[in-house]
Amino acid sequence: MVRLWSVSLLLIELLLWPGSALSHQPWEELLYEPEFPLELDSPSGSLWPLPQSVHIAPEVYRLSAVTFQIVHSPFSTAWVGCSILDSAFRRYFYYIFSSSAQSRQPGPVGGGGTGAVELERLQVTVTASDPECNQHPSITSNEVYEISITQPVATLKAENVWGVLRGLETFSQLVYEDEYDTHLINKTEIVDSPRFAHRGILLDTSRHYLPLKVIFETLDAMSFNKFNVFHWHIVDDPSFPYQSITFPELSAQGAYHPVTHIYTMADVTMVIEYARERGIRVVPEFDTPGHTQSWKGQRNLLTPCYNGEKLSGTFGPINPSLNTTYDFLNQFFKEVSLMFPDAYIHLGGDEVNFECWESNPAITQFMQEQGFGSDYKKLESFYIKKVLDIVTANLKGYMVWQEVFDNGVKIKPDTVVEVWMERNMKAELSKVTLAGFTTILAAPWYLDYITYGQDWQKYYRVEPLNFNGTAAQKKLVIGGEACLWGEYVDATNLASRLWPRASAVGERLWSSTETTDLKDAYKRLAKHRCRMVRRGIPAEPLFVGYCDNEYKG
């Protein structure tokens, strides 16, 4: 009965998601449901996302919280004064040895603690002359690492700190406990690197305000899944929680509460630093000219709407006909550029409703003066081109939603176009990359859409490069994002709705194209989900069952 019910739901999903990669799969293969009794062991243990190359041998070593150390190699260029790694060493020591940190399950290959020799330490070597200890991660950051586990000393090598952070997460996932609570690890060799450079999570903090604690928790979980971009959709129509120093009235009038539901400069700085310590970029999004109803704190910024010849008392998108609009935006984005250190700002540009512009006689006159006729897409393009020039003048690159490209706006060659519309997704990827633009994919990974059952499998099956295009075009797809829009999400349900569903996206963007076995993925993800729960992330269960730590007293 469960299997028939699941298939029915999946058929309904196919009707709702016509552009999904799943729609091309035979329906019998769409869902993997484990039989019971369920054996959860995978040859790769609980590794998630699966490394590019991993060999786990039967030989087993013990780790003792009293003697084991994570240390810098004497040959490492980061062995002195690299606070980002010093903090990471402490953090991962806790993850490994906390009383609630690991599973009682046997290891991926087997063996036990009796008679096992002790692994004394993990020795970390950074090889680059500049280890990037005091820098922020970027789109070009090198996350390659190698792990060799053999007694008495295991080694972790990477070019810079970003690779070390990814390697520490992998090392921690290799440690397990036997029935006597002995910490064990198998002899292992790993060479690993991400398939895509941009692996993002989008959070919406406008529709519901998210406390800093929830954002920090999400950043932790992102590091457990090797995501490296926090796309912060910080403001939108419902509220403006970003507290601008230059224009404080934006949050004073636009936030749900001008004191309790805002992000101050100190808050933003803490989020950026917390993310940096986990190898995560913070890319803010200030979406205009639409999605700006909360920008009412700036006088004469929004377009007054008319009902016939009279003002209706409502407002539409940002008014593109006034010079004061661009004076404001220049000052505002100058502040944002200084506040957020990443090389990119997301400028939105999606879903602009033209009705208010059409009703406004001043806008109509401006359209005639500019020779736009009645084509309001030209007016939108005029506005966006101005904004792009402003951001460029402030030495920032920009990301935009696909409508900016679709509407023919003249954009810089290094613009990142985010494809979000599920229908005709493959055709859109072909068009954007054929035009030579760097692209990220969000369309199949809108996690705010939920269903009954294991929809993580739908996200897992997506192949980002499954579109018509040359090899050169496909190189322009630099990754993707799992998006959790906030209409029905706040602090009470964010983590359980996001994880482990987003974990499926994480493996798709990190691991090789050959990593597609759903049965093996289920076995690893079930353990990984339990590990996230043990680390304080209330990730929802994949299916029926239990986590081993539930039996720990």
Side-chain angles (χ1 to χ4, degrees):
M1 182 65 182
V2 171
R3 195 175 296 276
L4 290 173
W5 175 239
S6 299
V7 169
S8 299
L9 286 164
L10 281 161
L11 290 173
I12 292 171
E13 283 186 43
L14 290 178
L15 295 174
L16 295 175
W17 295 72
S20 171
L22 283 177
S23 62
H24 303 290
Q25 302 290 336
W27 67 265
E28 299 93 335
E29 301 177 5
L30 290 179
L31 181 65
Y32 165 67
E33 278 189 2
E35 302 291 344
F36 293 92
L38 183 63
E39 176 57 58
L40 285 179
D41 284 345
S42 160
S44 301
S46 61
L47 289 174
W48 196 277
L50 190 67
Q52 300 289 336
S53 172
V54 54
H55 177 72
I56 301 175
E59 189 174 342
V60 178
Y61 312 127
R62 288 183 294 110
L63 291 81
S64 167
V66 177
T67 58
F68 182 79
Q69 295 178 302
I70 304 176
V71 298
H72 293 282
S73 159
F75 306 105
S76 176
T77 57
W79 72 279
V80 175
C82 192
S83 61
I84 191 172
L85 290 189
D86 294 338
S87 295
F89 290 178
R90 291 190 293 270
R91 189 165 66 248
Y92 277 97
F93 186 92
Y94 171 79
Y95 290 149
I96 293 169
F97 291 109
S98 169
S99 60
S100 62
Q102 294 297 325
S103 167
R104 292 173 182 259
Q105 284 283 341
V109 179
T114 305
V117 297
E118 186 171 324
L119 187 69
E120 297 177 1
R121 61 187 179 275
L122 173 64
Q123 192 164 270
V124 177
T125 302
V126 177
T127 61
S129 57
D130 179 7
E132 302 186 20
C133 295
N134 299 312
Q135 297 181 27
H136 291 271
S138 71
I139 190 62
T140 59
S141 291
N142 188 333
E143 298 173 287
V144 178
Y145 67 91
E146 297 180 12
I147 292 176
S148 178
I149 298 172
T150 184
Q151 69 86 25
V153 179
T155 60
L156 166 57
K157 294 182 180 179
E159 181 179 291
N160 54 42
V161 295
W162 318 119
V164 172
L165 293 175
R166 305 299 172 236
L168 287 171
E169 176 58 36
T170 299
F171 182 87
S172 73
Q173 294 182 6
L174 290 166
V175 181
Y176 57 97
E177 292 181 27
D178 64 11
E179 63 272 25
Y180 304 106
D181 295 336
T182 303
H183 290 81
L184 302 171
I185 193 167
N186 287 68
K187 182 176 182 179
T188 304
E189 298 290 333
I190 289 176
V191 178
D192 199 14
S193 60
R195 182 181 173 203
F196 291 101
H198 184 116
R199 307 178 306 280
I201 295 288
L202 179 149
L203 292 187
D204 171 6
T205 58
S206 172
R207 290 172 175 87
H208 285 96
Y209 176 82
L210 298 177
L212 288 180
K213 179 183 177 182
V214 173
I215 295 177
F216 293 153
E217 180 183 84
T218 302
L219 292 168
D220 281 332
M222 287 174 64
S223 70
F224 303 155
N225 292 273
K226 296 187 172 71
F227 283 97
N228 67 349
V229 179
F230 171 34
H231 178 167
W232 194 352
H233 189 86
I234 193 167
V235 302
D236 207 298
D237 282 330
S239 73
F240 196 105
Y242 172 75
Q243 187 181 54
S244 169
I245 301 303
T246 313
F247 302 99
E249 285 302 305
L250 287 170
S251 60
Q253 296 187 40
Y256 286 131
H257 190 282
V259 176
T260 61
H261 284 56
I262 61 171
Y263 302 107
T264 65
M265 180 181 289
D267 294 335
V268 171
T269 300
M270 283 193 290
V271 169
I272 292 169
E273 180 58 20
Y274 198 92
R276 187 187 78 89
E277 290 183 348
R278 287 150 183 80
I280 298 170
R281 301 163 54 203
V282 178
V283 177
E285 180 181 353
F286 292 90
D287 192 358
T288 68
H291 292 279
T292 50
Q293 292 296 295
S294 65
W295 298 52
K296 56 192 175 186
Q298 180 62 23
R299 188 178 178 185
N300 296 326
L301 180 65
L302 303 182
T303 303
C305 304
Y306 279 72
N307 185 2
E309 296 182 356
K310 295 182 180 180
L311 286 167
S312 66
T314 61
F315 293 87
I318 285 178
N319 191 333
S321 68
L322 301 177
N323 290 332
T324 54
T325 292
Y326 304 105
D327 292 338
F328 158 76
L329 290 171
N330 185 48
Q331 294 181 66
F332 180 75
F333 280 114
K334 184 175 293 184
E335 175 190 310
V336 169
S337 298
L338 293 173
M339 191 71 239
F340 291 89
D342 196 81
Y344 284 85
I345 298 173
H346 203 301
L347 298 175
D350 63 317
E351 298 182 318
V352 181
N353 190 321
F354 297 149
E355 290 181 6
C356 184
W357 282 351
E358 291 171 351
S359 75
N360 187 293
I363 297 290
T364 302
Q365 181 179 347
F366 181 79
M367 293 270 289
Q368 293 172 351
E369 292 171 354
Q370 295 294 322
F372 296 157
S374 59
D375 188 350
Y376 285 86
K377 285 188 177 181
K378 290 183 179 179
L379 179 62
E380 178 189 11
S381 297
F382 173 86
Y383 167 85
I384 291 177
K385 176 64 167 59
K386 289 267 196 180
V387 175
L388 300 186
D389 290 343
I390 286 169
V391 171
T392 302
N394 285 294
L395 304 178
K396 289 287 185 179
Y398 46 78
M399 301 167 61
V400 294
W401 296 111
Q402 69 181 71
E403 289 96 321
V404 175
F405 169 82
D406 293 341
N407 292 341
V409 179
K410 190 173 182 179
I411 51 181
K412 291 193 306 178
D414 62 347
T415 299
V416 179
V417 178
E418 184 159 11
V419 174
W420 72 274
M421 294 183 184
E422 181 82 8
R423 192 179 298 275
N424 299 322
M425 172 185 76
K426 294 180 182 180
E428 185 74 12
L429 287 171
S430 295
K431 286 193 297 182
V432 174
T433 55
L434 184 62
F437 292 107
T438 302
T439 310
I440 58 175
L441 180 63
W445 295 317
Y446 268 41
L447 305 190
D448 46 305
Y449 294 119
I450 59 173
T451 58
Y452 184 86
Q454 300 186 52
D455 59 355
W456 69 269
Q457 298 184 25
K458 174 174 62 179
Y459 307 133
Y460 190 82
R461 285 180 178 271
V462 172
E463 170 47 56
L465 302 187
N466 186 17
F467 65 92
N468 291 327
T470 65
Q473 282 180 254
K474 294 185 178 185
K475 283 183 180 180
L476 292 172
V477 181
I478 60 170
E481 293 186 341
C483 301
L484 192 62
W485 298 98
E487 286 88 349
Y488 303 98
V489 176
D490 67 4
T492 65
N493 66 342
L494 182 144
S496 60
R497 187 162 293 190
L498 188 57
W499 309 106
R501 297 161 77 233
S503 300
V505 184
E507 179 151 296
R508 182 54 50 238
L509 294 175
W510 180 281
S511 303
S512 73
T513 54
E514 289 75 31
T515 304
T516 56
D517 187 335
L518 269 179
K519 292 183 179 180
D520 183 73
Y522 182 93
K523 294 172 185 178
R524 290 182 292 107
L525 186 55
K527 285 188 175 184
H528 180 57
R529 176 259 168 178
C530 288
R531 176 168 51 234
M532 287 195 285
V533 172
R534 288 190 292 272
R535 292 182 180 183
I537 308 300
E540 70 176 13
L542 273 70
F543 196 43
V544 299
Y546 65 93
C547 292
D548 300 303
N549 63 295
E550 294 172 19
Y551 292 94
K552 283 197 170 187

